[in-house]
Structure formats: structure tokens, C-alpha cells
Amino acid sequence: MAILPFPQRREAAAAQTLPLFPLNAVLFPGGTLSLRVFEQRYMTLVKDCFKQESAFGICLIAEGAEVGAPAKPHPVGTQARIVAWDMTQPGILNIAVRGEGRFRVLASEADRTGLLQARIEPIAAEPALPVPESLAALVPLLQAMAEDAGAERLPPPHRFDDAAWVGYRFCELLPIPAIARQKLLELEDPVSRLEIVFKFLAQRNLVK
């Protein structure tokens, strides 16, 4: 069954409550992630998002597991908007989400179903800065990686002139531990993030 598109609509930035979906993965603004949903609490979450055309939050798990008792999330996550869905067998829903803005968890508590409900503080979008000349070698490398990944993994528009966008995409594609992705997500400066990425790649002789 083909994945069906779902219309998008942004929430107001002033929203202060958000249901959370803790995962062993990190979602970045502008990035995509595929999820397999089968627990009732998350099926209800997805249903509510469809009904209200709303977003939910994805956070890396700090303690616990994806299934079972509510996990403890890392304090910084990314809002996720459902952009496609598919059900190939009863009781299992496949969804694709697109990352929107980052947020900071101020407090969270599990409801009666075990779903984490969080009070959050939106984190301002990073400024649109060009990729510094000293880090320009990152751009052609990412262009080649994007071509290999394909439009489904890295959907357009591609903003190779935007330091934040370039940094986020490297963070998604590089073979690094989830906790390293989390630390990069939490950085406030897109150029600092790019410098870390450049150093990682230079140590492996992939950029000069």
C-alpha cells in the first residue's frame, strides 16, 4: 500500500503543552523519520494528531525503553508533524514525520494511558547564516550524500547555503551514536555545530 500524504499546518509558537514520543532516535528540524506505531497510547496520539492537525514531540530516551513503562526523555527535543501514513496490517501503523522547531521540556508527567504530557518552552529557530568559507568543503560532500540518500530521505527544498540546515543534515547522516546527535541538537550556534562536524570528517580524511 502506498503511503498517503497528510496535509501540513503549523501550530502557533506559543503552544506550551505537547505529548511526547520518546525514542532511541533523534529528530532534527527539517528532517524526516519513519515510525512503526503499535502501542495503544501512541495509536491514540496519532489519532489525535490527525483529528486536530497538531504536532507531537520526539525526544531521545535518557532512561527506559521505547516500549512499556514511560521513559525519561532528554530535555531538548523536536516537534514532529505527520506527513504520511500507511497501515499494512491490523494494529500496526506506519507513519512518516517531518521535524519542525526544537523545544525544551520544563516538566513532564505520564497520563493514565502512559503517554507523556510535557510542558515545553519553544527554542527560537537558529538564524539563517551562510556556511563559513573555512568550512565550505562540507557543502559538496553533503550534496553528494544527499544525492545518494535520495529525495525520500532528504526531501527538498535543499538549503546548502544555510549553516543550520547543512549541520542538521550531517547530524542525521553521519554514523554517530544517538547521544552525540542529541548533544549536537542541543547546540545553539549553527557554526559551532558545523565546526564539530568538520573536525569529525577531517579526522577521517573526508574533508580538508
Side-chain angles (χ1 to χ4, degrees):
M1 182 185 298
I3 291 182
L4 303 176
F6 185 78
Q8 299 184 52
R9 190 179 75 183
R10 288 190 176 275
E11 287 183 315
Q16 294 294 314
T17 60
L18 199 66
L20 298 185
F21 199 143
L23 291 170
N24 290 315
V26 179
L27 177 65
F28 289 87
T32 59
L33 195 62
S34 296
L35 304 177
R36 191 167 180 263
V37 181
F38 53 90
E39 285 193 273
Q40 186 56 51
R41 55 182 165 174
Y42 296 126
M43 294 288 271
T44 301
L45 167 64
V46 170
K47 179 181 176 181
D48 289 343
C49 287
F50 281 149
K51 186 176 181 180
Q52 302 168 17
E53 297 185 20
S54 59
F56 61 93
I58 287 180
C59 291
L60 179 67
I61 292 173
E63 296 178 16
E66 291 183 348
V67 179
K72 178 182 177 181
H74 279 273
V76 173
T78 301
Q79 290 198 47
R81 181 79 53 177
I82 300 171
V83 294
W85 68 276
D86 190 18
M87 182 175 282
T88 55
Q89 55 183 301
I92 297 179
L93 185 65
N94 300 306
I95 64 173
V97 301
R98 174 70 67 88
E100 296 189 342
R102 295 177 300 159
F103 61 85
R104 184 171 289 103
V105 177
L106 303 177
S108 64
E109 184 176 4
D111 64 18
R112 59 182 179 79
T113 70
L115 181 67
L116 285 178
Q117 301 287 347
R119 186 163 61 89
I120 61 105
E121 176 183 65
I123 297 174
E126 294 180 350
L129 299 174
V131 175
E133 186 175 345
S134 59
L135 305 175
L138 292 173
V139 174
L141 177 58
L142 182 59
Q143 288 172 329
M145 293 170 70
E147 185 174 348
D148 287 342
E152 185 174 343
R153 178 75 188 277
L154 284 181
H158 295 160
R159 301 198 302 274
F160 294 109
D161 58 345
D162 184 325
W165 187 90
V166 170
Y168 286 146
R169 303 295 75 82
F170 269 114
C171 292
E172 292 170 347
L173 295 171
L174 291 178
I176 58 177
I179 188 61
R181 298 188 207 277
Q182 177 66 29
K183 296 303 181 184
L184 289 165
L185 176 71
E186 294 176 4
L187 289 177
E188 297 291 335
D189 178 18
V191 175
S192 294
R193 187 181 297 112
L194 277 187
E195 289 172 344
I196 293 170
V197 168
F198 188 94
K199 182 177 180 180
F200 176 89
L201 292 169
Q203 288 172 344
R204 289 154 180 81
N205 298 315
L206 295 173
V207 293
K208 294 182 180 179

